[in-house]
């Protein structure tokens, strides 16, 4: 089984990869994609790829044939507010291109998308349910809602096997906004 983690060098990506390597006996290849230099892997199943998932050649070389893809990479909160064009390029355009790439190459690929609680309106209730209203107040949250909608539509159409997870507080890299 081939698994790809886009954003594999981040906090969630590092912990996810360690857990997959420790627990998944069927994992034959784990590809970590990130724009930062990843440390050399101690496990022969791991391939570290330095690059952007916005690059079609990277998708062709490293994502094609994946059984599962985790999309963790994004331009987050304050950085998305400060640079809308960059946030759109990564959070919307590159992400949609990835989903379409999976649809065109293997609609059985499982896509796990890391969304955010920034999709909810404020004030948020103490308990969040499926009925909690959406109403993002930032570019980042709005872009995550757009991707959730696209993934849901693609899944309903049978073009991908999609799963969206709304994560609470996540630590980002040192020095990141």
């Amino acid at each position: 089984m081939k698994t790809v983690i886009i954003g594999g060098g981040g906090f969630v990506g590092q912990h996810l990869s360690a857990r997959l390597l420790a627990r998944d006996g069927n994992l034959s290849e784990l590809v970590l994609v990130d724009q930062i230099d990843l440390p050399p892997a101690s496990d022969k199943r791991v391939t570290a790829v330095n690059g952007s998932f916005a690059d079609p050649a990277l998708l062709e070389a490293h994502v094609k044939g994946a059984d599962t893809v985790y999309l963790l990479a994004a331009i987050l909160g304050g950085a998305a507010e400060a640079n809308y064009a960059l946030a759109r390029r990564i959070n919307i355009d590159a992400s949609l291109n990835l989903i379409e790439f999976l649809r065109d190459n293997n609609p059985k690929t499982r896509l796990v998308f890391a969304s955010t609680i920034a999709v909810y309106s404020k004030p948020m209730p103490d308990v969040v349910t499926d009925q909690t209203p959406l109403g993002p107040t930032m570019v980042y949250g709005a872009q995550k809602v757009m991707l959730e909608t696209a993934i849901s539509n693609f899944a309903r159409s049978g073009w991908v096997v999609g799963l969206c997870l709304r994560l609470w507080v996540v630590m980002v890299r040192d020095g990141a906004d």
Side-chain angles (χ1 to χ4, degrees):
M1 188 171 93
K2 177 180 178 179
T3 297
V4 177
I5 302 175
I6 298 173
F11 179 82
V12 175
Q14 290 176 31
H15 288 275
L16 175 61
S17 63
R19 190 164 283 218
L20 289 172
L21 289 166
R23 290 189 173 180
D24 192 343
N26 294 322
L27 184 65
S28 59
E29 183 178 4
L30 177 61
V31 179
L32 305 176
V33 176
D34 211 307
Q35 289 193 305
I36 63 166
D37 288 327
L38 297 164
S42 59
D43 190 304
K44 65 181 181 181
R45 296 174 290 175
V46 177
T47 302
V49 177
N50 179 261
S52 172
F53 78 103
D55 179 0
L58 185 145
L59 298 180
E60 187 68 32
H62 300 287
V63 176
K64 191 171 188 174
D67 298 288
T68 302
V69 175
Y70 292 90
L71 178 52
L72 307 178
I75 304 301
L76 306 175
E81 292 296 314
N83 190 341
Y84 172 80
L86 174 63
R88 179 192 164 124
R89 247 187 340 272
I90 299 303
N91 297 350
I92 299 295
D93 299 337
S95 297
L96 283 174
N97 288 341
L98 170 67
I99 299 165
E100 291 170 349
F101 178 85
L102 296 174
R103 174 201 62 196
D104 294 345
N105 286 282
N106 183 6
K108 300 286 187 225
T109 300
R110 180 175 207 182
L111 173 64
V112 181
F113 175 66
S115 190
T116 174
I117 63 166
V119 301
Y120 295 115
S121 60
K122 292 181 180 176
M124 271 185 24
D126 291 336
V127 177
V128 174
T129 68
D130 289 339
Q131 288 70 42
T132 301
L134 301 179
T137 59
M138 296 179 66
V139 167
Y140 173 64
Q143 291 174 337
K144 290 292 190 170
V145 168
M146 291 177 206
L147 260 293
E148 286 182 18
T149 303
I151 291 167
S152 293
N153 181 268
F154 273 54
R156 266 192 308 280
S157 300
W159 297 340
V160 295
V161 178
L163 175 65
C164 300
L165 303 173
R166 293 182 181 145
L167 303 177
W168 284 85
V169 177
V170 175
M171 301 302 296
V172 296
R173 294 184 184 104
D174 288 340
D177 186 352

